[in-house]
């Protein structure tokens, strides 16, 4: 069954992404803020909203691994590392992987790596498929406030006209686990 509210919302959000705007969308645990990862203007706007320094780097969220390939150096991964990563996807595990030399610094920050995730959230899947590539993903909250868990909370923090993909979070309590694909070490507990 088609959900016309969600379909309309996806269409509006994709249009905003193409206009280099920042949007909010539900993820596995909280709402995320996202934008076109290839637009320096959009990423800097997102970082300003979050009051987040560019040096920290960002996460890309995608509907499938192929969407992430232009940004990561897949050839640097061993079969075992790739298998470990694929075993957790799609799902709420973010992996820090080697970035290509072409991946913009506004995504990697001070690192030569990039945090990436193939989400199992159906709304994220639909958004990334409709946009045709991954989107930046960071929690939707202003500095010092709790991450938003509903579209109403997004509008309270960011304003009534902020573009939001209508939907519900996946119900997880904690944001995604973050692991290093090379060492296997856990960076953030999920």
């Amino acid at each position: 069954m088609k959900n016309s509210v969600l379909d309309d919302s996806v269409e509006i959000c994709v249009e905003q992404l193409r206009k280099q705007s920042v949007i909010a969308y539900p993820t596995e645990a909280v709402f995320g803020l996202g934008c076109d990862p290839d637009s320096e203007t959009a990423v800097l706007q997102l970082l300003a909203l979050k009051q987040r320094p560019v040096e920290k780097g960002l996460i890309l969220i995608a509907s499938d691994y192929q969407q992430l390939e232009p940004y990561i150096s897949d050839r640097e991964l061993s079969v075992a590392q790739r298998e470990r990563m694929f075993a957790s996807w799609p799902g709420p595990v973010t992996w820090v992987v080697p970035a290509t030399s072409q991946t913009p610094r506004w995504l990697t920050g001070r690192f030569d790596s990039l945090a990436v995730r193939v989400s199992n959230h159906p709304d994220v899947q639909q958004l990334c498929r409709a946009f045709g590539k991954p989107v930046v993903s960071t929690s939707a909250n202003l500095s010092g406030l709790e991450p938003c868990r509903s579209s109403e909370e997004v509008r309270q923090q960011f304003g009534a006209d902020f573009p939001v993909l209508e939907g519900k979070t996946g119900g997880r309590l904690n944001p995604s686990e973050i692991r290093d694909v090379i060492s296997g070490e856990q960076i953030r507990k999920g």
Side-chain angles (χ1 to χ4, degrees):
M1 184 173 111
K2 297 285 269 177
N3 179 338
S4 63
V5 171
L6 176 61
D7 291 343
D8 290 348
S9 181
V10 167
E11 198 173 302
I12 290 165
C13 285
V14 167
E15 185 180 311
Q16 291 301 309
L17 290 169
R18 290 189 176 128
K19 290 180 178 176
Q20 301 184 55
S21 295
V22 177
I23 65 163
Y25 55 90
T27 69
E28 294 88 347
V30 298
F31 268 70
L33 288 181
C35 65
D36 181 346
D38 298 318
S39 168
E40 183 177 15
T41 299
V43 172
L44 294 178
Q45 180 186 348
L46 180 144
L47 292 171
L49 265 176
K50 287 280 293 185
Q51 298 176 358
R52 180 185 172 98
V54 71
E55 294 78 27
K56 287 179 84 172
L58 290 163
I59 295 172
L60 293 188
I61 192 168
S63 63
D64 58 55
Y65 187 68
Q66 289 69 35
Q67 289 188 335
L68 299 169
E69 287 180 316
Y71 305 91
I72 61 175
S73 188
D74 181 79
R75 62 179 163 50
E76 291 184 42
L77 303 179
S78 70
V79 170
Q81 290 163 340
R82 202 175 290 109
E83 285 175 355
R84 184 171 48 218
M85 184 170 62
F86 289 164
S88 70
W89 284 348
V93 179
T94 297
W95 291 91
V96 175
V97 300
T100 68
S101 59
Q102 294 81 32
T103 301
R105 284 286 163 206
W106 63 76
L107 295 177
T108 60
R110 68 179 187 274
F111 306 102
D112 291 325
S113 57
L114 183 64
V116 295
R117 178 166 86 249
V118 174
S119 177
N120 63 354
H121 193 289
D123 298 349
V124 170
Q125 289 263 327
Q126 188 175 350
L127 176 67
C128 291
R129 277 195 304 269
F131 188 45
K133 61 180 170 179
V135 294
V136 169
S137 187
T138 185
S139 61
N141 61 295
L142 295 171
S143 186
L145 297 179
E146 285 294 309
C148 299
R149 292 190 183 264
S150 69
S151 54
E152 294 79 23
E153 288 180 15
V154 170
R155 290 187 178 96
Q156 287 170 0
Q157 284 193 37
F158 295 97
D161 295 330
F162 199 85
V164 179
L165 179 62
E166 295 299 333
K168 302 219 178 302
T169 63
R172 288 179 52 87
L173 296 178
N174 298 320
S176 67
E177 174 181 346
I178 300 177
R179 301 188 78 87
D180 183 294
V181 78
I182 302 297
S183 68
E185 287 179 39
Q186 186 179 63
I187 297 168
R188 179 176 79 187
K189 189 173 166 62

CSV table of all heavy atoms in Angstrom, one decimal, residues 58-85:
chain,number,residue,atom,x,y,z
A,58,LEU,N,31.7,13.8,9.5
A,58,LEU,CA,30.3,13.5,9.5
A,58,LEU,C,30.0,12.1,9.1
A,58,LEU,O,31.0,11.4,8.7
A,58,LEU,CB,29.6,14.5,8.5
A,58,LEU,CG,29.5,15.9,9.0
A,58,LEU,CD1,29.2,16.8,7.8
A,58,LEU,CD2,28.5,16.1,10.1
A,59,ILE,N,28.8,11.7,9.2
A,59,ILE,CA,28.4,10.3,8.8
A,59,ILE,C,27.6,10.5,7.6
A,59,ILE,O,26.8,11.4,7.4
A,59,ILE,CB,27.5,9.7,9.9
A,59,ILE,CG1,28.3,9.4,11.2
A,59,ILE,CG2,26.8,8.4,9.4
A,59,ILE,CD1,27.4,9.0,12.4
A,60,LEU,N,27.7,9.5,6.6
A,60,LEU,CA,26.9,9.4,5.5
A,60,LEU,C,26.0,8.2,5.7
A,60,LEU,O,26.4,7.1,6.1
A,60,LEU,CB,27.7,9.2,4.2
A,60,LEU,CG,28.5,10.3,3.7
A,60,LEU,CD1,29.1,10.0,2.3
A,60,LEU,CD2,27.8,11.6,3.7
A,61,ILE,N,24.7,8.3,5.4
A,61,ILE,CA,23.7,7.2,5.5
A,61,ILE,C,23.2,7.0,4.1
A,61,ILE,O,23.0,7.9,3.3
A,61,ILE,CB,22.7,7.6,6.5
A,61,ILE,CG1,21.8,6.5,6.9
A,61,ILE,CG2,21.8,8.8,6.0
A,61,ILE,CD1,20.9,6.7,8.1
A,62,ALA,N,23.0,5.7,3.8
A,62,ALA,CA,22.7,5.3,2.4
A,62,ALA,C,21.6,4.1,2.4
A,62,ALA,O,21.4,3.5,3.4
A,62,ALA,CB,23.9,4.8,1.7
A,63,SER,N,21.1,3.9,1.2
A,63,SER,CA,20.1,2.8,1.1
A,63,SER,C,20.9,1.5,0.7
A,63,SER,O,20.3,0.4,0.9
A,63,SER,CB,19.1,3.1,0.0
A,63,SER,OG,19.7,3.3,-1.2
A,64,ASP,N,22.1,1.6,0.1
A,64,ASP,CA,22.9,0.4,-0.2
A,64,ASP,C,24.4,0.8,-0.3
A,64,ASP,O,24.7,2.0,-0.3
A,64,ASP,CB,22.4,-0.2,-1.5
A,64,ASP,CG,22.4,0.7,-2.7
A,64,ASP,OD1,23.5,1.3,-3.0
A,64,ASP,OD2,21.4,0.9,-3.3
A,65,TYR,N,25.2,-0.2,-0.3
A,65,TYR,CA,26.6,0.0,-0.3
A,65,TYR,C,27.1,0.8,-1.6
A,65,TYR,O,28.0,1.6,-1.5
A,65,TYR,CB,27.4,-1.3,-0.2
A,65,TYR,CG,28.8,-1.2,0.0
A,65,TYR,CD1,29.4,-0.7,1.1
A,65,TYR,CD2,29.7,-1.7,-1.0
A,65,TYR,CE1,30.8,-0.6,1.3
A,65,TYR,CE2,31.1,-1.6,-0.8
A,65,TYR,CZ,31.6,-1.0,0.3
A,65,TYR,OH,33.0,-0.9,0.5
A,66,GLN,N,26.5,0.5,-2.7
A,66,GLN,CA,26.9,1.1,-3.9
A,66,GLN,C,26.8,2.7,-3.8
A,66,GLN,O,27.7,3.4,-4.5
A,66,GLN,CB,26.1,0.7,-5.1
A,66,GLN,CG,26.3,-0.8,-5.5
A,66,GLN,CD,25.9,-1.8,-4.5
A,66,GLN,OE1,24.8,-1.6,-3.8
A,66,GLN,NE2,26.6,-2.9,-4.4
A,67,GLN,N,25.9,3.2,-3.1
A,67,GLN,CA,25.8,4.6,-2.9
A,67,GLN,C,27.0,5.2,-2.2
A,67,GLN,O,27.3,6.4,-2.4
A,67,GLN,CB,24.5,5.0,-2.2
A,67,GLN,CG,23.2,4.8,-3.0
A,67,GLN,CD,22.0,5.4,-2.3
A,67,GLN,OE1,22.0,5.5,-1.1
A,67,GLN,NE2,21.0,5.7,-3.1
A,68,LEU,N,27.6,4.4,-1.4
A,68,LEU,CA,28.8,4.9,-0.6
A,68,LEU,C,30.1,4.7,-1.3
A,68,LEU,O,31.1,5.4,-0.9
A,68,LEU,CB,28.8,4.1,0.7
A,68,LEU,CG,27.6,4.2,1.7
A,68,LEU,CD1,27.7,3.2,2.8
A,68,LEU,CD2,27.5,5.6,2.2
A,69,GLU,N,30.2,3.9,-2.3
A,69,GLU,CA,31.4,3.6,-3.0
A,69,GLU,C,32.2,4.8,-3.5
A,69,GLU,O,33.4,4.8,-3.4
A,69,GLU,CB,31.2,2.5,-4.1
A,69,GLU,CG,31.0,1.2,-3.5
A,69,GLU,CD,30.8,0.1,-4.5
A,69,GLU,OE1,30.0,0.3,-5.5
A,69,GLU,OE2,31.4,-1.0,-4.3
A,70,PRO,N,31.5,5.9,-4.0
A,70,PRO,CA,32.3,7.0,-4.5
A,70,PRO,C,33.1,7.7,-3.4
A,70,PRO,O,34.0,8.5,-3.7
A,70,PRO,CB,31.3,7.9,-5.1
A,70,PRO,CG,30.1,7.1,-5.4
A,70,PRO,CD,30.1,6.0,-4.4
A,71,TYR,N,32.7,7.5,-2.1
A,71,TYR,CA,33.3,8.3,-1.0
A,71,TYR,C,34.3,7.5,-0.2
A,71,TYR,O,35.1,8.0,0.5
A,71,TYR,CB,32.2,8.7,-0.1
A,71,TYR,CG,31.1,9.5,-0.7
A,71,TYR,CD1,30.0,8.8,-1.3
A,71,TYR,CD2,31.2,10.9,-0.9
A,71,TYR,CE1,29.0,9.6,-1.9
A,71,TYR,CE2,30.2,11.6,-1.5
A,71,TYR,CZ,29.1,10.9,-2.0
A,71,TYR,OH,28.1,11.6,-2.6
A,72,ILE,N,34.3,6.1,-0.4
A,72,ILE,CA,35.2,5.3,0.4
A,72,ILE,C,36.2,4.5,-0.5
A,72,ILE,O,35.9,4.2,-1.6
A,72,ILE,CB,34.4,4.3,1.3
A,72,ILE,CG1,33.5,3.4,0.4
A,72,ILE,CG2,33.5,5.1,2.3
A,72,ILE,CD1,32.8,2.4,1.2
A,73,SER,N,37.3,4.2,0.2
A,73,SER,CA,38.4,3.4,-0.5
A,73,SER,C,38.2,1.9,-0.3
A,73,SER,O,38.9,1.3,0.6
A,73,SER,CB,39.7,3.9,-0.1
A,73,SER,OG,40.7,3.3,-0.8
A,74,ASP,N,37.2,1.3,-1.0
A,74,ASP,CA,36.9,-0.1,-0.8
A,74,ASP,C,38.1,-1.0,-1.0
A,74,ASP,O,38.2,-2.0,-0.3
A,74,ASP,CB,35.8,-0.4,-1.8
A,74,ASP,CG,35.3,-1.9,-1.6
A,74,ASP,OD1,34.6,-2.2,-0.7
A,74,ASP,OD2,35.8,-2.7,-2.5
A,75,ARG,N,39.0,-0.6,-1.9
A,75,ARG,CA,40.1,-1.5,-2.2
A,75,ARG,C,41.1,-1.7,-1.0
A,75,ARG,O,41.9,-2.6,-1.0
A,75,ARG,CB,40.9,-1.0,-3.4
A,75,ARG,CG,41.5,0.4,-3.3
A,75,ARG,CD,42.2,0.9,-4.5
A,75,ARG,NE,42.5,2.2,-4.6
A,75,ARG,CZ,43.0,3.0,-3.7
A,75,ARG,NH1,43.4,2.6,-2.5
A,75,ARG,NH2,43.3,4.3,-3.9
A,76,GLU,N,41.0,-0.8,0.0
A,76,GLU,CA,41.8,-0.9,1.2
A,76,GLU,C,41.3,-1.8,2.2
A,76,GLU,O,41.9,-2.1,3.2
A,76,GLU,CB,42.0,0.5,1.8
A,76,GLU,CG,42.8,1.5,1.0
A,76,GLU,CD,43.1,2.8,1.7
A,76,GLU,OE1,43.4,2.8,2.9
A,76,GLU,OE2,43.0,3.8,1.0
A,77,LEU,N,40.1,-2.4,2.0
A,77,LEU,CA,39.4,-3.3,2.9
A,77,LEU,C,39.8,-4.7,2.6
A,77,LEU,O,39.7,-5.1,1.4
A,77,LEU,CB,37.9,-3.1,2.9
A,77,LEU,CG,37.4,-1.7,3.2
A,77,LEU,CD1,35.9,-1.7,3.2
A,77,LEU,CD2,37.9,-1.2,4.6
A,78,SER,N,40.0,-5.5,3.6
A,78,SER,CA,40.2,-7.0,3.4
A,78,SER,C,38.8,-7.6,3.2
A,78,SER,O,37.8,-7.0,3.5
A,78,SER,CB,41.0,-7.6,4.5
A,78,SER,OG,40.1,-7.6,5.7
A,79,VAL,N,38.8,-8.8,2.7
A,79,VAL,CA,37.6,-9.6,2.6
A,79,VAL,C,36.9,-9.7,4.0
A,79,VAL,O,35.7,-9.5,4.1
A,79,VAL,CB,37.9,-11.0,2.0
A,79,VAL,CG1,36.6,-11.9,2.1
A,79,VAL,CG2,38.3,-10.8,0.5
A,80,ALA,N,37.7,-10.0,5.0
A,80,ALA,CA,37.2,-10.2,6.4
A,80,ALA,C,36.6,-8.9,6.9
A,80,ALA,O,35.5,-8.9,7.5
A,80,ALA,CB,38.2,-10.7,7.3
A,81,GLN,N,37.2,-7.7,6.6
A,81,GLN,CA,36.7,-6.4,7.1
A,81,GLN,C,35.4,-6.1,6.4
A,81,GLN,O,34.4,-5.7,7.0
A,81,GLN,CB,37.7,-5.3,6.8
A,81,GLN,CG,38.9,-5.4,7.7
A,81,GLN,CD,40.1,-4.6,7.2
A,81,GLN,OE1,40.2,-4.3,6.0
A,81,GLN,NE2,41.1,-4.4,8.1
A,82,ARG,N,35.4,-6.4,5.1
A,82,ARG,CA,34.1,-6.1,4.3
A,82,ARG,C,33.0,-7.0,4.8
A,82,ARG,O,31.9,-6.6,4.9
A,82,ARG,CB,34.4,-6.3,2.8
A,82,ARG,CG,33.5,-5.6,1.9
A,82,ARG,CD,33.9,-5.8,0.4
A,82,ARG,NE,35.1,-5.0,0.1
A,82,ARG,CZ,36.3,-5.5,-0.2
A,82,ARG,NH1,36.4,-6.8,-0.2
A,82,ARG,NH2,37.3,-4.8,-0.5
A,83,GLU,N,33.3,-8.3,5.0
A,83,GLU,CA,32.3,-9.2,5.5
A,83,GLU,C,31.7,-8.8,6.8
A,83,GLU,O,30.5,-8.9,7.1
A,83,GLU,CB,32.8,-10.6,5.5
A,83,GLU,CG,33.0,-11.3,4.1
A,83,GLU,CD,33.6,-12.6,4.1
A,83,GLU,OE1,34.1,-13.1,5.2
A,83,GLU,OE2,33.7,-13.2,3.0
A,84,ARG,N,32.6,-8.4,7.7
A,84,ARG,CA,32.2,-7.9,9.1
A,84,ARG,C,31.2,-6.7,8.9
A,84,ARG,O,30.2,-6.7,9.6
A,84,ARG,CB,33.4,-7.6,9.9
A,84,ARG,CG,33.1,-7.2,11.3
A,84,ARG,CD,34.3,-7.0,12.2
A,84,ARG,NE,35.4,-6.2,11.6
A,84,ARG,CZ,36.7,-6.5,11.7
A,84,ARG,NH1,37.1,-7.5,12.3
A,84,ARG,NH2,37.6,-5.7,11.1
A,85,MET,N,31.6,-5.8,8.0
A,85,MET,CA,30.7,-4.6,7.8
A,85,MET,C,29.4,-5.0,7.2
A,85,MET,O,28.3,-4.7,7.7
A,85,MET,CB,31.5,-3.7,6.9
A,85,MET,CG,30.8,-2.3,6.7
A,85,MET,SD,31.9,-1.2,5.8
A,85,MET,CE,32.2,-2.0,4.3
